[in-house]
Structure formats: structure tokens, C-alpha cells
Amino acid sequence: MADYTLDIQEGSAVSLSSSAVSAGAGNCYATLTELKAMLGITSTSKDGVLLRLLEAASREAEGPSCARRVFYSEYGVRYFDPPATHMGYLLLPDLLSISELVTDEDGDLDYTGDAWVEGTDFVLGPANIWPKTELRLTANTDEAWPSYERGLKITGVWGAGNLGSADPWRAAGVNGTLSGADDTSLALSAEGAVEAGHTIRMGSEQIYVASVTSDGSGQATVVRGVNGTTAASHDSVAIELAEYPADVVQGTLVLACEAWNLTAKAGVVSEGIGNFRQSLRGVSGEVKGRIFARTRR
């Protein structure tokens, strides 16, 4: 019988239990169900590991070798220096919408200056597509760029979303109930639509789904108030699901499968039977570039 051999990297782990990796804090670009289907896994014993790898793959999908941008929607405040004189407009990170823009007119960072009005004082571009990546003064505004560093304070929803909408969410077709702001057991009106790995929205609150029952009890374990939102009680509120570009979903699943296959052979760099040897390598940078080419910033 031919000898079967494994080459192990020095200092690498040789096993991984489900308790070694816990469920992440959210913003997965695919669901646990989708990942298990790709891997052909039906057991639930490794769900914690798989969900953590899925979150890590989602962060890799945002990185420099992949899409170079974030797709989840985050509510928050960001501060900007005024643009250089020759530019005439402000370059922005991916932005879905602005709820407030105020200026600092005296350099004390108290932002008691004028509140600019979208459409009257400024416009976002490019026109007719999302996300927005630039801000320009309108021709007829009385406002001017502030003179100080961090002179602009913008409150809005940041992220690339689904690359097609200012509000990248879709109806799940089910309702949910949470009895209070600290309740982490979401009661669902039906199972099947909401899955582990989903980011959902109820009212204005975003919620990450860490696990969902499959026994008909309609319960999910969740992380409350994610992405800059505030937890609140919800009584049979309609649930919406975050939407992401199809290429990002597929690319994230490819990366997560890669991570799982490498984890399953923890530390193994090649294997062989007799004279036949096979190197175990991850997804190359070139392949990643092709997968995420249409979604890259």
C-alpha cells in the first residue's frame, strides 16, 4: 500500500473544535444555510465555526485584494476636511444617504454653523446611482466650504449597500417580536425566511441573527442594535433583510469555503499518496480580483 503523507507547517494547530470559534458580531454577506449547502454539510455541530468563518470571509471580501469597500449599512457621524480649492467637490466614502450636514465656522469643533440642505446647498453624486461618493455645492447656494480642518460634520448611512439603491433592504415576509431593548430571543411568526448570518431591520433597528431554530418554535438568537442603531422593543414588526450584490454573496461563500477547507486540514500545506502530491492553496489574488471586479471601488 502506498504511503499517505501530510506536510504540516511548524507551529500549526492540528484540530479545531466547534467551541474554538464562536459566532461573530455580524455583517455576513451570506448565510449559514448557503455556506453549508455549498460545503454539503448537514450536521449542526460545526455551526459556530462556520458562522465565524463566514464573518471573517465577509471582512476579507471588503479588503484590498477583493472589493475594497464595505457593503453593510452603518448609521453614524463622520467628519471631513474641506476639499482643496482646485477640487471644487468633496470626495466621500461610500454613502447611501445624509440626514444632517453642519459646519464648523470658527475652528472650535462645536459645529454650530449653518445646517446645509440637500438640493438647496449641496448635491450628492454620481446622479441616479448608489452609493454616492462626492458632494458638491449647488450653483445658487449662499454657503461656502469651511476654512478649518474637520470643518464638515455629516450624519448619514454609510456603505455601498447593494450597489443599486439608497435603501438596500427587502421584505422578509415574516414578523418578529422582541419584548425589550435587551431581549436577545427573537420570536418569529414563521421559520425559513430569517437565517443565521442575516442582518435584519425592524423599524430603524438593525439586528444580527446568530442562530435560528428549525423545530417549529420560531425562535432566533440575535445581537441587538448593530451598525450604529438603537435597540428598542418590537411587537409583531415586519422584518426586512439586508441586500448585497450577488457577486459579493458568491465571492464571500467562495472565501468561506476556502477557509473551511484549510481549517479542516489545519496547518496542512500539501498531501500525497506515493509519488502523487497536491499542494493545498487558497484563492489567488487574481481569482479574487475577477470575482469582485464588478463590485470593486
Side-chain angles (χ1 to χ4, degrees):
M1 180 181 292
D3 292 334
Y4 180 85
T5 59
L6 295 175
D7 294 338
I8 308 293
Q9 289 179 323
E10 182 179 359
S12 63
V14 295
S15 65
L16 183 65
S17 66
S18 59
S19 61
V21 183
S22 60
N27 296 318
C28 293
Y29 295 138
T31 67
L32 179 62
T33 299
E34 291 170 321
L35 177 58
K36 291 175 72 173
M38 284 192 71
L39 291 170
I41 296 174
T42 57
S43 168
T44 60
S45 64
K46 300 293 186 181
D47 281 4
V49 177
L50 291 168
L51 197 57
R52 187 74 177 111
L53 292 178
L54 191 58
E55 184 188 359
S58 300
R59 303 291 77 76
E60 184 177 359
E62 301 163 354
S65 64
C66 296
R68 304 174 185 171
R69 67 198 322 171
V70 168
F71 295 91
Y72 60 85
S73 305
E74 183 175 22
Y75 297 78
V77 176
R78 300 193 183 183
Y79 300 88
F80 297 90
D81 295 340
T85 303
H86 70 278
M87 285 284 290
Y89 63 93
L90 179 67
L91 286 174
L92 297 170
D94 290 335
L95 173 68
L96 296 173
S97 62
I98 286 180
S99 57
E100 184 183 55
L101 191 161
V102 293
T103 60
D104 174 31
E105 296 183 339
D106 52 14
D108 62 1
L109 301 180
D110 64 359
Y111 300 96
T112 56
D114 291 343
W116 293 5
V117 178
E118 186 171 0
T120 299
D121 300 312
F122 71 91
V123 293
L124 297 172
N128 304 317
I129 64 172
W130 285 268
K132 305 300 184 182
T133 56
E134 59 188 49
L135 185 152
R136 299 175 183 269
L137 294 176
T138 62
N140 298 321
T141 182
D142 293 329
E143 304 295 345
W145 297 111
S147 302
Y148 300 95
E149 293 182 354
R150 291 169 55 93
L152 292 159
K153 176 185 176 182
I154 299 177
T155 304
V157 182
W158 306 90
N162 61 5
L163 297 181
S165 170
D167 190 41
W169 300 83
R170 62 181 174 87
V174 298
N175 292 354
T177 297
L178 289 159
S179 61
D182 58 351
D183 186 5
T184 58
S185 295
L186 171 64
L188 298 166
S189 61
E191 292 180 350
V194 175
E195 301 174 3
H198 269 146
T199 299
I200 65 174
R201 186 170 68 178
M202 299 175 68
S204 61
E205 180 188 356
Q206 291 190 38
I207 299 165
Y208 173 63
V209 181
S211 65
V212 181
T213 58
S214 58
D215 57 3
S217 60
Q219 297 290 317
T221 300
V222 298
V223 180
R224 305 294 306 279
V226 300
N227 298 332
T229 64
T230 301
S233 60
H234 304 282
D235 185 10
S236 191
V237 172
I239 292 174
E240 298 172 291
L241 306 176
E243 284 193 315
Y244 306 112
D247 287 356
V248 172
V249 175
Q250 189 64 29
T252 298
L253 289 169
V254 169
L255 295 173
C257 287
E258 169 203 17
W260 171 256
N261 290 330
L262 293 176
T263 297
K265 295 181 176 293
V268 178
V269 294
S270 67
E271 60 183 349
I273 299 177
N275 294 325
F276 174 79
R277 302 203 60 76
Q278 174 177 324
S279 296
L280 304 177
R281 301 184 183 276
V283 180
S284 70
E286 180 181 358
V287 172
K288 291 177 184 177
R290 291 176 180 175
I291 292 173
F292 291 95
R294 291 185 296 182
T295 60
R296 177 174 286 179
R297 176 158 181 174

